[in-house]
Amino acid sequence: MVYRRGELIEIIDGTHPTAPRWPAYAHQGLIMLSAVAIAVETENGLPGWLRLALFGFEIFVLCTFAAEYLLRLWAAKNRWGYATSFWGIVDLVSVLPLFFVLSSNWT
């Protein structure tokens, strides 16, 4: 099925009347799993492979959230309005760590 640009936000939020709800459930699941991963990562003595796996998962989550932010920005009727709204700023702040992680100065 083909959806209009304006319907994408409803699909992401799980409020579209005919689209499946799994994108919204997947998004909520990623938020919860990310919180668990961050909590586990604070434990001392984790094996190196687990630290690497958690770091990879965090990068995956950040990339997913960055893609969601860009999709919401693209689909918004008033892009500047979304970008400067409370939730737009929250979404932007949630993906800013990705730029720090991907910079060559991050250690």
Side-chain angles (χ1 to χ4, degrees):
M1 179 171 234
V2 177
Y3 296 102
R4 293 188 328 258
R5 187 175 83 175
E7 292 177 299
L8 291 178
I9 294 173
E10 292 177 341
I11 293 169
I12 293 170
D13 291 338
T15 59
H16 193 276
T18 60
R21 306 244 188 287
W22 68 263
Y25 296 142
H27 183 258
Q28 296 300 321
L30 274 179
I31 291 170
M32 288 187 289
L33 289 174
S34 177
V36 170
I38 290 169
V40 169
E41 201 171 30
T42 64
E43 290 295 316
N44 293 328
L46 288 178
W49 67 267
L50 183 55
R51 285 204 179 279
L52 187 60
L54 291 170
F55 180 75
F57 177 70
E58 288 174 22
I59 295 298
F60 169 75
V61 170
L62 285 170
C63 288
T64 302
F65 289 167
E68 179 209 359
Y69 176 74
L70 293 174
L71 186 61
R72 285 181 181 274
L73 193 60
W74 177 76
K77 292 177 184 173
N78 179 357
R79 292 181 182 145
W80 180 251
Y82 169 70
T84 58
S85 71
F86 175 78
W87 289 114
I89 292 170
V90 167
D91 287 346
L92 178 62
V93 168
S94 72
V95 299
L96 284 179
L98 180 63
F99 298 109
F100 293 115
V101 170
L102 296 179
S103 73
S104 60
N105 297 330
W106 186 266
T107 56

